[in-house]
Amino acid sequence: MEQEREILTVAQVAEFLQISEVTTYKLVQEGRIPGFKIGSHWRVKKADLREHISKLQHGDQL
């Protein structure tokens, strides 16, 4: 059984949200999806993403 990853790549976030990688990269870069950079690579904490989705469900805008 594979342990659930806490830190996601842009590709993994795109798959999770079922949107394109290009759109995901743009949203993370603009700060509209919470993320952080390690070197030149963007990463997203799964807990932050779930919290962000919860806010969207309660009326916040992306």
Coordinates of all heavy atoms in Angstrom, one line a residue:
M1 N 0.8 -1.2 0.0 CA 0.0 0.0 0.0 C 0.9 1.2 0.0 O 1.7 1.4 0.9 CB -0.9 0.0 1.2 CG -1.9 1.1 1.3 SD -3.2 0.7 2.5 CE -3.1 2.1 3.5
E2 N 0.7 2.1 -1.0 CA 1.5 3.3 -1.1 C 1.0 4.4 -0.2 O -0.2 4.6 -0.1 CB 1.5 3.8 -2.6 CG 2.5 4.9 -2.8 CD 2.5 5.4 -4.3 OE1 2.4 4.5 -5.2 OE2 2.6 6.6 -4.5
Q3 N 1.9 5.0 0.5 CA 1.6 6.1 1.4 C 1.2 7.3 0.6 O 1.8 7.6 -0.4 CB 2.8 6.4 2.3 CG 2.5 7.5 3.3 CD 3.8 7.7 4.2 OE1 4.8 7.1 4.0 NE2 3.6 8.6 5.1
E4 N 0.2 8.0 1.0 CA -0.3 9.2 0.3 C 0.8 10.3 0.4 O 1.3 10.6 1.5 CB -1.6 9.7 0.9 CG -2.2 10.8 0.2 CD -3.6 11.2 0.7 OE1 -4.2 10.4 1.5 OE2 -4.1 12.3 0.4
R5 N 1.0 10.9 -0.7 CA 2.1 12.0 -0.7 C 1.5 13.3 -0.1 O 0.4 13.7 -0.4 CB 2.5 12.3 -2.1 CG 3.2 11.1 -2.8 CD 3.7 11.5 -4.2 NE 4.2 10.4 -4.9 CZ 5.4 10.0 -4.9 NH1 6.3 10.7 -4.1 NH2 5.8 9.0 -5.5
E6 N 2.3 13.9 0.7 CA 1.9 15.2 1.4 C 2.3 16.4 0.5 O 1.6 17.4 0.5 CB 2.7 15.3 2.7 CG 2.5 16.7 3.4 CD 1.1 17.0 3.8 OE1 0.2 16.1 3.9 OE2 0.8 18.2 3.9
I7 N 3.4 16.3 -0.3 CA 3.8 17.3 -1.2 C 3.6 16.8 -2.7 O 4.0 15.7 -3.0 CB 5.3 17.6 -1.0 CG1 5.6 17.9 0.4 CG2 5.8 18.7 -2.0 CD1 5.0 19.2 1.0
L8 N 2.9 17.7 -3.4 CA 2.5 17.4 -4.8 C 3.3 18.2 -5.8 O 3.5 19.4 -5.6 CB 1.0 17.6 -5.0 CG 0.1 16.8 -4.1 CD1 -1.4 17.3 -4.3 CD2 0.2 15.3 -4.2
T9 N 3.5 17.6 -7.0 CA 4.1 18.4 -8.1 C 2.9 19.1 -8.8 O 1.8 18.8 -8.6 CB 4.8 17.5 -9.1 OG1 3.8 16.6 -9.7 CG2 5.9 16.7 -8.4
V10 N 3.2 20.0 -9.7 CA 2.2 20.6 -10.5 C 1.4 19.6 -11.3 O 0.2 19.7 -11.4 CB 2.8 21.7 -11.5 CG1 1.8 22.2 -12.5 CG2 3.3 22.9 -10.6
A11 N 2.1 18.6 -11.9 CA 1.4 17.5 -12.6 C 0.4 16.8 -11.7 O -0.7 16.5 -12.2 CB 2.4 16.6 -13.2
Q12 N 0.8 16.5 -10.5 CA 0.0 15.8 -9.6 C -1.2 16.6 -9.2 O -2.3 16.1 -9.0 CB 0.8 15.3 -8.4 CG 1.8 14.2 -8.7 CD 2.8 14.0 -7.6 OE1 3.1 14.9 -6.8 NE2 3.2 12.7 -7.4
V13 N -1.0 17.9 -9.0 CA -2.1 18.8 -8.6 C -3.1 18.9 -9.8 O -4.3 18.8 -9.6 CB -1.6 20.2 -8.3 CG1 -2.8 21.2 -8.1 CG2 -0.7 20.2 -7.0
A14 N -2.6 19.0 -11.0 CA -3.4 19.0 -12.2 C -4.3 17.8 -12.3 O -5.5 17.8 -12.6 CB -2.6 19.2 -13.5
E15 N -3.7 16.6 -12.1 CA -4.4 15.4 -12.1 C -5.5 15.3 -11.0 O -6.6 15.0 -11.2 CB -3.5 14.2 -11.9 CG -4.1 12.9 -12.1 CD -3.2 11.7 -12.0 OE1 -2.0 11.9 -12.2 OE2 -3.6 10.6 -11.6
F16 N -5.1 15.8 -9.8 CA -6.0 15.8 -8.7 C -7.2 16.7 -8.9 O -8.4 16.3 -8.6 CB -5.2 16.3 -7.4 CG -6.0 16.3 -6.1 CD1 -6.2 15.1 -5.5 CD2 -6.5 17.4 -5.6 CE1 -6.9 15.1 -4.2 CE2 -7.2 17.4 -4.4 CZ -7.4 16.2 -3.7
L17 N -7.0 17.9 -9.6 CA -8.1 18.8 -9.8 C -8.7 18.6 -11.2 O -9.7 19.2 -11.5 CB -7.5 20.2 -9.8 CG -7.0 20.7 -8.5 CD1 -6.4 22.1 -8.6 CD2 -8.1 20.7 -7.4
Q18 N -8.2 17.7 -12.0 CA -8.7 17.3 -13.3 C -8.7 18.6 -14.2 O -9.7 18.8 -14.9 CB -10.0 16.6 -13.2 CG -10.0 15.3 -12.5 CD -11.3 14.6 -12.4 OE1 -12.3 15.1 -12.9 NE2 -11.3 13.4 -11.8
I19 N -7.6 19.3 -14.2 CA -7.4 20.4 -15.1 C -6.0 20.3 -15.7 O -5.2 19.4 -15.3 CB -7.5 21.8 -14.4 CG1 -6.5 21.9 -13.3 CG2 -8.9 22.0 -13.9 CD1 -6.5 23.3 -12.6
S20 N -5.7 21.1 -16.8 CA -4.4 20.9 -17.5 C -3.2 21.4 -16.6 O -3.4 22.2 -15.7 CB -4.4 21.7 -18.8 OG -4.2 23.1 -18.5
E21 N -2.1 20.8 -16.9 CA -0.8 21.2 -16.2 C -0.5 22.7 -16.5 O -0.1 23.4 -15.6 CB 0.3 20.4 -16.7 CG 0.3 19.0 -16.1 CD 1.5 18.2 -16.4 OE1 2.7 18.7 -16.3 OE2 1.4 17.0 -16.7
V22 N -0.8 23.2 -17.7 CA -0.5 24.6 -18.0 C -1.4 25.5 -17.2 O -0.9 26.5 -16.6 CB -0.8 24.8 -19.5 CG1 -0.7 26.3 -19.9 CG2 0.2 24.1 -20.4
T23 N -2.6 25.2 -17.0 CA -3.5 26.0 -16.2 C -3.1 25.9 -14.7 O -3.1 26.9 -14.0 CB -5.0 25.5 -16.3 OG1 -5.4 25.6 -17.7 CG2 -5.9 26.3 -15.4
T24 N -2.8 24.7 -14.3 CA -2.3 24.5 -12.9 C -1.1 25.4 -12.6 O -1.0 26.1 -11.6 CB -2.0 23.1 -12.6 OG1 -3.2 22.3 -12.9 CG2 -1.7 22.8 -11.1
Y25 N -0.1 25.3 -13.5 CA 1.2 26.0 -13.3 C 0.9 27.5 -13.2 O 1.4 28.2 -12.3 CB 2.1 25.7 -14.5 CG 3.4 26.4 -14.4 CD1 4.4 25.9 -13.5 CD2 3.7 27.6 -15.1 CE1 5.7 26.6 -13.4 CE2 4.9 28.3 -14.9 CZ 5.9 27.7 -14.1 OH 7.1 28.4 -14.0
K26 N 0.0 28.0 -14.1 CA -0.4 29.4 -14.1 C -1.0 29.8 -12.8 O -0.7 30.9 -12.2 CB -1.3 29.7 -15.3 CG -1.8 31.1 -15.4 CD -2.7 31.3 -16.6 CE -3.4 32.6 -16.5 NZ -4.6 32.7 -17.3
L27 N -2.0 29.0 -12.3 CA -2.7 29.3 -11.0 C -1.7 29.3 -9.8 O -1.8 30.2 -9.0 CB -3.8 28.3 -10.8 CG -5.0 28.4 -11.8 CD1 -5.9 27.2 -11.6 CD2 -5.7 29.7 -11.7
V28 N -0.8 28.4 -9.8 CA 0.2 28.3 -8.7 C 1.1 29.5 -8.8 O 1.4 30.2 -7.8 CB 1.0 27.0 -8.7 CG1 2.1 27.0 -7.7 CG2 0.1 25.8 -8.4
Q29 N 1.6 29.8 -10.0 CA 2.5 30.9 -10.2 C 1.9 32.3 -9.8 O 2.5 33.1 -9.2 CB 2.9 31.0 -11.7 CG 4.2 31.6 -11.9 CD 4.7 31.4 -13.4 OE1 3.8 31.3 -14.3 NE2 5.9 31.5 -13.6
E30 N 0.6 32.4 -10.0 CA -0.1 33.6 -9.7 C -0.6 33.7 -8.2 O -1.1 34.7 -7.8 CB -1.4 33.8 -10.6 CG -1.1 34.0 -12.0 CD -2.3 34.0 -12.9 OE1 -3.4 33.6 -12.5 OE2 -2.2 34.3 -14.1
G31 N -0.4 32.6 -7.5 CA -0.7 32.5 -6.1 C -2.2 32.2 -5.9 O -2.7 32.3 -4.8
R32 N -2.9 31.8 -6.9 CA -4.3 31.5 -6.8 C -4.5 30.0 -6.3 O -5.6 29.7 -5.9 CB -5.0 31.7 -8.2 CG -5.0 33.2 -8.5 CD -5.3 33.6 -9.9 NE -6.7 33.1 -10.3 CZ -7.1 33.1 -11.5 NH1 -6.3 33.6 -12.5 NH2 -8.3 32.7 -11.8
I33 N -3.5 29.2 -6.4 CA -3.4 27.9 -5.7 C -2.2 28.0 -4.8 O -1.1 28.5 -5.3 CB -3.3 26.8 -6.7 CG1 -4.5 26.5 -7.5 CG2 -2.9 25.5 -6.0 CD1 -4.5 25.4 -8.5
P34 N -2.3 27.7 -3.5 CA -1.2 27.9 -2.6 C 0.0 26.9 -3.0 O -0.2 25.7 -3.1 CB -1.7 27.6 -1.2 CG -2.9 26.7 -1.5 CD -3.5 27.1 -2.8
G35 N 1.2 27.5 -3.2 CA 2.3 26.6 -3.5 C 3.6 27.3 -3.1 O 3.6 28.4 -2.6
F36 N 4.7 26.6 -3.3 CA 6.0 27.1 -3.0 C 7.0 26.5 -3.9 O 6.8 25.5 -4.6 CB 6.4 26.8 -1.5 CG 6.4 25.3 -1.2 CD1 7.6 24.6 -1.3 CD2 5.2 24.7 -0.9 CE1 7.6 23.2 -1.0 CE2 5.2 23.3 -0.6 CZ 6.4 22.6 -0.6
K37 N 8.2 27.2 -4.0 CA 9.2 26.8 -5.0 C 10.3 26.1 -4.2 O 10.8 26.5 -3.2 CB 9.8 28.0 -5.7 CG 9.1 28.2 -7.0 CD 9.8 29.3 -7.8 CE 9.8 29.0 -9.3 NZ 10.4 30.0 -10.1
I38 N 10.8 25.0 -4.8 CA 12.0 24.3 -4.4 C 12.9 24.4 -5.6 O 12.7 23.8 -6.6 CB 11.8 22.9 -4.0 CG1 10.9 22.8 -2.8 CG2 13.1 22.2 -3.7 CD1 10.5 21.5 -2.3
G39 N 13.9 25.3 -5.6 CA 14.7 25.5 -6.8 C 13.8 26.2 -7.8 O 13.2 27.2 -7.5
S40 N 13.7 25.6 -9.0 CA 12.9 26.1 -10.0 C 11.6 25.4 -10.1 O 10.8 25.6 -11.1 CB 13.6 26.1 -11.4 OG 13.9 24.8 -11.7
H41 N 11.3 24.5 -9.2 CA 10.1 23.6 -9.3 C 9.1 24.0 -8.2 O 9.4 24.2 -7.1 CB 10.5 22.1 -9.0 CG 11.5 21.7 -10.0 ND1 11.2 21.2 -11.3 CD2 12.9 21.5 -9.9 CE1 12.3 20.9 -11.9 NE2 13.4 21.1 -11.0
W42 N 7.8 24.1 -8.7 CA 6.7 24.4 -7.8 C 6.2 23.2 -7.1 O 6.1 22.1 -7.7 CB 5.6 25.1 -8.6 CG 5.8 26.5 -8.9 CD1 6.3 27.0 -10.1 CD2 5.6 27.6 -8.1 NE1 6.4 28.3 -10.1 CE2 6.0 28.8 -8.8 CE3 5.2 27.8 -6.8 CZ2 5.9 30.0 -8.3 CZ3 5.1 29.0 -6.3 CH2 5.4 30.2 -7.0
R43 N 5.8 23.3 -5.9 CA 5.3 22.2 -5.1 C 4.1 22.7 -4.3 O 4.0 23.9 -4.0 CB 6.3 21.6 -4.1 CG 7.4 20.9 -4.8 CD 7.0 19.7 -5.6 NE 8.1 19.0 -6.2 CZ 8.5 19.1 -7.5 NH1 7.9 19.9 -8.2 NH2 9.5 18.4 -7.9
V44 N 3.1 21.8 -4.0 CA 1.9 22.2 -3.3 C 1.7 21.2 -2.2 O 1.8 20.0 -2.4 CB 0.7 22.2 -4.2 CG1 -0.6 22.5 -3.5 CG2 0.9 23.2 -5.3
K45 N 1.5 21.7 -1.0 CA 1.1 20.8 0.2 C -0.3 20.3 0.0 O -1.2 21.1 -0.2 CB 1.3 21.5 1.5 CG 2.7 21.6 1.9 CD 2.8 22.3 3.3 CE 2.1 21.5 4.4 NZ 2.2 22.1 5.7
K46 N -0.5 19.0 0.1 CA -1.9 18.5 -0.1 C -2.9 19.1 0.9 O -4.0 19.4 0.5 CB -1.9 17.0 -0.1 CG -3.1 16.3 -0.6 CD -3.0 14.9 -0.7 CE -3.6 14.5 -2.1 NZ -3.4 13.1 -2.4
A47 N -2.4 19.3 2.1 CA -3.3 19.8 3.1 C -3.7 21.3 2.7 O -4.9 21.6 2.9 CB -2.6 19.9 4.5
D48 N -2.8 22.1 2.2 CA -3.1 23.4 1.7 C -4.1 23.4 0.6 O -5.0 24.2 0.5 CB -1.9 24.2 1.3 CG -0.9 24.5 2.5 OD1 -1.4 24.4 3.6 OD2 0.2 24.9 2.2
L49 N -3.9 22.4 -0.3 CA -4.8 22.3 -1.5 C -6.2 21.9 -1.0 O -7.2 22.5 -1.5 CB -4.2 21.2 -2.5 CG -5.0 21.1 -3.8 CD1 -5.1 22.4 -4.5 CD2 -4.4 20.0 -4.6
R50 N -6.3 21.0 -0.1 CA -7.6 20.6 0.4 C -8.3 21.7 1.1 O -9.5 22.0 1.0 CB -7.5 19.4 1.4 CG -7.1 18.1 0.6 CD -7.2 16.9 1.6 NE -6.7 15.7 1.0 CZ -7.4 14.9 0.2 NH1 -8.6 15.2 -0.1 NH2 -6.8 13.8 -0.3
E51 N -7.6 22.5 1.9 CA -8.1 23.7 2.6 C -8.6 24.7 1.5 O -9.7 25.3 1.7 CB -7.1 24.3 3.5 CG -7.6 25.5 4.3 CD -6.5 26.1 5.2 OE1 -5.6 25.4 5.6 OE2 -6.5 27.3 5.4
H52 N -7.8 24.9 0.5 CA -8.2 25.9 -0.6 C -9.5 25.4 -1.3 O -10.3 26.2 -1.5 CB -7.0 26.0 -1.6 CG -7.2 27.1 -2.5 ND1 -7.2 28.4 -2.2 CD2 -7.3 27.0 -3.9 CE1 -7.3 29.1 -3.3 NE2 -7.4 28.3 -4.3
I53 N -9.6 24.1 -1.5 CA -10.8 23.6 -2.2 C -12.0 23.8 -1.3 O -13.1 24.2 -1.7 CB -10.6 22.1 -2.5 CG1 -9.6 21.9 -3.7 CG2 -11.9 21.5 -2.9 CD1 -9.1 20.5 -3.9
S54 N -11.8 23.6 0.0 CA -12.9 23.8 1.0 C -13.4 25.3 0.9 O -14.6 25.6 1.0 CB -12.4 23.5 2.4 OG -13.4 23.7 3.3
K55 N -12.4 26.2 0.9 CA -12.8 27.6 0.8 C -13.6 27.9 -0.5 O -14.5 28.7 -0.5 CB -11.5 28.5 0.8 CG -10.9 28.6 2.2 CD -9.7 29.4 2.2 CE -9.0 29.5 3.5 NZ -7.7 30.2 3.5
L56 N -13.1 27.3 -1.6 CA -13.8 27.5 -2.9 C -15.3 27.0 -2.8 O -16.2 27.6 -3.4 CB -13.1 26.8 -4.0 CG -11.7 27.4 -4.4 CD1 -11.1 26.5 -5.4 CD2 -11.9 28.8 -4.9
Q57 N -15.5 25.9 -2.1 CA -16.8 25.3 -1.9 C -17.7 26.2 -1.1 O -18.9 26.1 -1.2 CB -16.7 23.9 -1.2 CG -16.1 22.9 -2.1 CD -15.9 21.6 -1.4 OE1 -15.5 21.5 -0.2 NE2 -16.2 20.5 -2.1
H58 N -17.1 27.1 -0.3 CA -17.9 28.0 0.5 C -18.0 29.4 -0.1 O -18.2 30.4 0.7 CB -17.3 28.0 2.0 CG -17.5 26.7 2.6 ND1 -16.6 25.8 2.7 CD2 -18.6 26.2 3.3 CE1 -17.0 24.7 3.3 NE2 -18.3 25.0 3.7
G59 N -17.7 29.5 -1.4 CA -17.9 30.8 -2.0 C -16.7 31.7 -2.4 O -16.9 32.7 -3.1
D60 N -15.6 31.3 -1.9 CA -14.4 32.1 -2.3 C -14.1 31.9 -3.8 O -14.5 30.9 -4.4 CB -13.1 31.7 -1.5 CG -13.2 32.2 -0.1 OD1 -14.2 32.7 0.3 OD2 -12.2 32.0 0.7
Q61 N -13.4 32.9 -4.4 CA -13.1 32.8 -5.8 C -11.7 32.3 -6.0 O -10.8 32.6 -5.2 CB -13.2 34.2 -6.5 CG -14.6 34.7 -6.5 CD -15.5 33.9 -7.4 OE1 -15.2 33.6 -8.5 NE2 -16.7 33.6 -6.9
L62 N -11.4 31.6 -7.1 CA -10.1 31.1 -7.4 C -9.2 32.2 -7.9 O -9.2 33.0 -8.5 CB -10.1 29.9 -8.4 CG -8.8 29.2 -8.7 CD1 -8.2 28.6 -7.5 CD2 -9.0 28.2 -9.8

